[in-house]
Amino acid sequence: METITWQHFEQTDIRVGTITEVHDFPEARRPAYKLTIDLGPLGIKKSSAQITKHYTKNELVDKQVLCVTNLGKKQIGRYMSEVLVTGFADENGDIVLAQPAGKVPNGSKLI
């Protein structure tokens, strides 16, 4: 893997947000949810996430997640995703969310 500079890393804006709404996303090619995320001073943002294997809609509400906020919008079918919710693939390739170890204010930047 190529090494990047500290300045390149600092350009990635990773913030914590709380999921406030979760909806099915039946139009997605792979099973996914539509998420509404409160990022504090950055506002309410939308994202989609292929996290249906490990999480139900009910258990996702009020869960804090790490989001990349400066990638720009991405059209996914007829849905516009505004942030990238981060996670890790498990041994089956299913996504496990990246989360802070404890509650922090929405909009807090990963440093």
Side-chain angles (χ1 to χ4, degrees):
M1 180 160 298
E2 185 179 332
T3 301
I4 64 171
T5 66
W6 182 253
Q7 290 79 16
H8 282 123
F9 174 74
E10 286 183 314
Q11 291 176 8
T12 306
D13 192 25
I14 302 172
R15 305 281 182 134
V16 70
T18 299
I19 298 172
T20 59
E21 294 180 36
V22 182
H23 300 282
D24 291 323
F25 193 0
E27 313 91 276
R29 280 186 258 163
R30 288 189 259 163
Y33 293 130
K34 294 178 182 179
L35 306 176
T36 303
I37 304 166
D38 180 355
L39 285 157
L42 292 158
I44 305 298
K45 303 291 182 184
K46 301 212 179 287
S47 187
S48 71
Q50 297 171 357
I51 54 176
T52 59
K53 295 286 184 181
H54 287 292
Y55 306 96
T56 66
K57 291 185 290 187
N58 287 339
E59 67 186 331
L60 286 169
V61 174
D62 294 328
K63 190 174 286 294
Q64 287 196 303
V65 292
L66 297 176
C67 303
V68 179
T69 62
N70 64 339
L71 283 177
K73 296 178 181 179
K74 182 176 182 184
Q75 187 80 38
I76 302 170
R78 296 188 332 194
Y79 186 73
M80 185 63 72
S81 182
E82 301 174 297
V83 297
L84 173 69
V85 175
T86 62
F88 303 92
D90 69 10
E91 63 277 352
N92 298 314
D94 299 317
I95 303 302
V96 176
L97 291 169
Q99 301 176 261
K103 189 147 178 73
V104 295
N106 287 337
S108 294
K109 183 175 171 69
L110 179 69
I111 53 173

